[in-house]
Amino acid sequence: MRIGISCYPTHGGSGVVATELGKMMAERGHQVHFITYSMPFRLGRFHHHIHYHEVEANRYAVFKYPPYDLALANRMAQVAKIHRLDILHVHYAVPHAICAYLAKQMTGGAFRVVTTLHGTDITVLGEDPSLRDIICFGIHESDAVTAVSDDLVKQTRESFCVDSSIQRIYNFVDPRVYYPRDVSHIRPQYARPDEKLLLHISNFRAVKRVDDVVRVFEKVQRQIPARLLLVGDGPEWPRVTELVHELNLDQKVVFLGKQDEVAQLISLADLLLLPSAKESFGLVALEAMACGVPAVTSNAGGLPEVVKHGETGYLADIGDVDRMAAYALEILTDPVKHRRFSENGLKRAREQFSAEKIADEYEALYRRVLNEPRK
Ligand code: GMT
């Protein structure tokens, strides 16, 4: 198959999933064309069967806003025509699903559009009256729509796209990249042998509640020797650094900023914290499971479909930092439980969320839409 992919190429779960899926499809012999405004950060080196088409928006002075969406639709149509795309798989509804619709019209419906919803395109932007109707339009006009959890399917249907047909296809991890790595040579740089290492990775947006991470850690380190690694960057970073300072934790919290490769960092940790207010899936919780690291998370959105309460970690209500700290201490102070959760998580990641399994599901979907009459 000839597959086009559009996604947000910068740090973020949807871009990671889109890029890794493209790599899987290329390994399976499909021709994959990324159509994005910059090279997806996880693409890295040259890959056989993968092509990259950069989108550049015109910055003519008359425009208050550069017409990026039009440039993307135009590039999609060009790539579809020249490379005779069968499928255009777009990740994140806005603007990608709408641009794909436009490109399809421009090329006389030459390819099928598959849209994958990732969460904030529905749970945040879907609530914005300036976007709501066009998001719903993009969903209805796609030849197939997937969402990354049952919860996101439900929320999309219940909240605004009532009669849409949406298939759940979970996110995945590549076990060749995410596995429990031997990091004993690096760990002393981050923690003493008697200290537990807690980890949080996100884009530091308000929805991630990074201040709860710090508050949970503050309670944990009162009981046991511990350190916290914070990975990522974003709008909440200044507030979080202030809070760390206010709570007198500067010596125990390390900010690492944005990191491209997190598999090794995850393997360093004894526990992942993810107390988000919204999370359609929580890719980092799956990555942690695949590295044998238990997680304490909120029970928001799709997280209960990823983290199994009492088996691979614990879930608590959003904002319940006392409960989260108690759960964290329970896991960190009981080596038998820690090992059990770690082993359960490894098994669950491999059995339920392996890259091969999920790539099979997407491949079957592509074949199905290609066999269906044109919309
Ligand atoms: O987590 C973010 O805010 C980034 C966002 C994105 O669009 O990249 O992540 C969303 O998609 C990920 C991949 O499907 C999911 O794992 C995240 O749960 C989801 N984020 C939210 O729903 C807040």
Side-chain angles (χ1 to χ4, degrees):
M1 276 182 271
R2 292 171 296 262
I3 305 162
I5 297 182
S6 277
C7 64
Y8 284 107
T10 49
H11 295 76
S14 61
V16 170
V17 170
T19 312
E20 297 298 338
L21 181 62
K23 282 158 57 176
M24 291 295 293
M25 290 298 159
E27 275 179 25
R28 291 175 174 214
H30 303 297
Q31 292 295 328
V32 176
H33 295 264
F34 281 93
I35 311 166
T36 50
Y37 62 73
S38 65
M39 175 85 86
F41 80 99
R42 280 281 179 94
L43 205 49
R45 60 181 185 83
F46 162 81
H47 296 265
H48 191 45
H49 296 319
I50 293 188
H51 315 260
Y52 165 56
H53 309 272
E54 190 164 291
V55 181
E56 214 170 318
N58 188 303
R59 293 180 185 274
Y60 190 54
V62 89
F63 296 134
K64 183 171 176 196
Y65 306 106
Y68 169 72
D69 303 357
L70 298 183
L72 175 60
N74 194 61
R75 193 80 161 131
M76 284 171 165
Q78 284 171 343
V79 174
K81 237 193 254 167
I82 292 168
H83 294 282
R84 292 179 294 114
L85 293 186
D86 300 304
I87 297 283
L88 180 54
H89 188 169
V90 297
H91 293 259
Y92 216 82
V94 272
H96 303 144
I98 294 91
C99 297
Y101 167 80
L102 266 178
K104 194 173 165 191
Q105 298 299 310
M106 289 166 71
T107 54
F111 55 87
R112 302 289 198 273
V113 176
V114 174
T115 297
T116 292
L117 307 174
H118 280 274
T120 42
D121 42 357
I122 299 303
T123 56
V124 177
L125 302 178
E127 282 170 17
D128 181 340
S130 74
L131 291 170
R132 193 179 165 87
D133 292 347
I134 202 158
I135 293 175
C136 205
F137 176 79
I139 290 174
H140 277 126
E141 290 302 324
S142 299
D143 294 289
V145 180
T146 73
V148 297
S149 61
D150 287 329
D151 184 77
L152 188 57
V153 172
K154 190 164 155 265
Q155 283 207 53
T156 311
R157 287 223 194 94
E158 279 178 5
S159 62
F160 70 124
C161 255
V162 183
D163 55 347
S164 52
S165 144
I166 305 171
Q167 179 181 343
R168 184 262 287 150
I169 300 187
Y170 281 136
N171 288 333
F172 57 91
V173 268
D174 187 339
R176 295 168 300 182
V177 180
Y178 291 90
Y179 59 91
R181 297 179 182 219
D182 178 8
V183 286
S184 48
H185 57 298
I186 328 176
R187 200 181 140 108
Q189 295 167 16
Y190 295 98
R192 294 191 316 255
D194 63 316
E195 285 174 325
K196 298 294 180 194
L197 203 51
L198 287 80
L199 172 73
H200 171 76
I201 305 180
S202 77
N203 49 28
F204 280 57
R205 283 195 237 136
V207 90
K208 300 291 175 181
R209 297 185 68 101
V210 190
D211 42 355
D212 282 2
V213 172
V214 176
R215 290 186 198 286
V216 169
F217 173 71
E218 197 272 329
K219 291 178 191 300
V220 169
Q221 60 84 45
R222 272 197 244 156
Q223 306 295 326
I224 58 171
R227 281 181 194 262
L228 173 65
L229 273 186
L230 290 173
V231 179
D233 203 348
E236 289 293 296
W237 179 83
R239 237 168 50 81
V240 175
T241 46
E242 264 168 42
L243 182 64
V244 166
H245 190 63
E246 259 169 45
L247 296 176
N248 210 11
L249 294 172
D250 302 81
Q251 300 306 313
K252 293 188 175 178
V253 178
V254 179
F255 287 88
L256 288 181
K258 279 186 191 167
Q259 301 288 327
D260 285 355
E261 302 295 338
V262 290
Q264 207 170 31
L265 277 173
I266 293 175
S267 292
L268 281 171
D270 297 297
L271 185 74
L272 177 88
L273 296 174
L274 191 64
S276 314
K278 287 179 195 286
E279 205 68 75
S280 68
F281 183 88
L283 188 60
V284 72
L286 172 58
E287 292 171 340
M289 265 169 35
C291 294
V293 176
V296 171
T297 75
S298 70
N299 52 12
L303 277 170
E305 294 169 61
V306 181
V307 178
K308 283 289 140 202
H309 185 73
E311 288 175 32
T312 70
Y314 286 120
L315 302 153
D317 287 342
I318 299 163
D320 192 346
V321 290
D322 289 335
R323 176 60 58 101
M324 289 181 196
Y327 281 149
L329 282 163
E330 203 179 306
I331 297 173
L332 293 170
T333 56
D334 181 346
V336 176
K337 182 169 278 182
H338 188 277
R339 182 151 5 97
R340 184 157 46 83
F341 280 17
S342 163
E343 286 168 0
N344 290 344
L346 272 170
K347 188 164 177 284
R348 183 167 165 72
R350 284 189 189 143
E351 288 176 359
Q352 306 295 323
F353 303 102
S354 83
E356 287 294 338
K357 177 178 186 281
I358 303 300
D360 283 349
E361 292 182 26
Y362 277 115
E363 217 175 19
L365 172 71
Y366 295 163
R367 293 196 198 287
R368 197 195 76 215
V369 287
L370 282 173
N371 285 326
E372 280 170 0
R374 269 191 202 175
K375 228 179 172 177

